[in-house]
Amino acid sequence: MKFTLPPLPYAFDALEPYLDAETMEIHYTKHHQAYLDKFNAVVGKCEELESKSPEDMLRDLHNLPIEESDKMIIKNQGGGFVNHNIYWQSMGPAREVNQKLVEEINGVFGSVESFKDSFTKMSVSHFASGWGWLVRDKDGKLKAYTLPNQDSPLTLGHEPIFCVDVWEHAYYLKYRNKRQEFVEEWWKALKLL
Ligand code: MN3
């Protein structure tokens, strides 16, 4: 196996009550692992990908010297692998507020509160599966948007800051169909703001 799951930086129950332990365990050990396994399978058969990081594969997705069907697997499974790594890392049981980011958000979005409101609305109303993202664009400007499926901001030339997973597997055990409630509680697990 070429790539391995980075260890979760906290226990499965560390983000209770916002993200419940059962969801965390299944999400990390089953869903995240499944993306990684399928990603590793395609990386293992494409010599052209040797020495490239998963992030670089997503950045260069359209120019990778491999078949289109394999690019699709990198996009979906490699995207799933990398997106979840960012998701776990941006949360934690202890706040590590990034004051510089707070000031930037105040400047771009008016206030952290209004940013959170619009980010929540955007992520809740995203049609079907996907992610809400805060990124830096090519000019270093903050941008918030959603992307479908496991599409990565890296493929757009953007650098991810944090993300929320709005696939149903991220919340349905605890929140059932209530994506809004999940996103509102997820803010309390995000350590950066
Ligand atoms: Mn997920």
Side-chain angles (χ1 to χ4, degrees):
M1 280 298 173
K2 191 167 161 81
F3 298 105
T4 53
L5 277 193
L8 256 197
Y10 35 74
F12 292 129
D13 64 358
L15 305 178
E16 292 264 16
Y18 319 119
L19 277 77
D20 64 288
E22 189 184 14
T23 297
M24 287 295 293
E25 182 166 3
I26 294 174
H27 201 167
Y28 175 76
T29 64
K30 306 292 183 203
H31 292 281
H32 197 185
Q33 184 72 52
Y35 288 114
L36 174 62
D37 292 345
K38 291 174 188 158
F39 175 56
N40 271 330
V42 75
V43 170
K45 70 166 193 150
C46 296
E47 279 175 28
E48 301 88 339
L49 299 176
E50 258 175 43
S51 83
K52 274 190 184 291
S53 70
E55 290 80 6
D56 281 344
M57 292 179 208
L58 294 168
R59 284 190 189 97
D60 301 342
L61 184 67
H62 301 299
N63 301 315
L64 292 176
I66 58 175
E67 288 178 25
E68 286 303 316
S69 58
D70 290 334
K71 281 188 198 174
M72 192 55 81
I73 298 173
I74 302 287
K75 173 180 150 119
N76 291 333
Q77 311 297 341
F81 172 54
V82 169
N83 293 347
H84 286 90
N85 289 339
I86 299 164
Y87 184 54
W88 308 134
Q89 291 295 333
S90 66
M91 297 187 288
R95 327 276 319 152
E96 291 172 32
V97 174
N98 181 332
Q99 205 51 46
K100 196 164 167 285
L101 182 62
V102 168
E103 281 160 29
E104 247 186 299
I105 286 174
N106 286 338
V108 175
F109 300 96
S111 70
V112 169
E113 281 318 301
S114 63
F115 164 71
K116 283 184 176 179
D117 277 354
S118 59
F119 193 96
T120 298
K121 278 197 191 93
M122 166 188 93
S123 303
V124 170
S125 60
H126 177 82
F127 181 72
S129 297
W131 294 74
W133 288 98
L134 180 69
V135 304
R136 238 172 245 296
D137 71 8
K138 288 171 187 163
D139 301 321
K141 283 197 196 137
L142 291 184
K143 287 252 151 63
Y145 52 66
T146 63
L147 290 177
N149 307 315
Q150 296 294 350
D151 291 11
S152 168
L154 295 169
T155 308
L156 304 173
H158 298 168
E159 287 301 315
I161 299 171
F162 64 72
C163 50
V164 62
D165 188 345
V166 293
W167 283 61
E168 282 181 355
H169 69 230
Y171 60 87
Y172 78 97
L173 289 180
K174 179 177 167 75
Y175 296 99
R176 309 290 183 98
N177 59 323
K178 299 179 187 121
R179 189 190 275 184
Q180 168 102 23
E181 211 173 287
F182 160 66
V183 175
E184 283 170 4
E185 293 301 294
W186 159 79
W187 287 113
K188 299 172 189 166
L190 181 79
K191 63 185 181 185
L192 301 172
L193 292 180

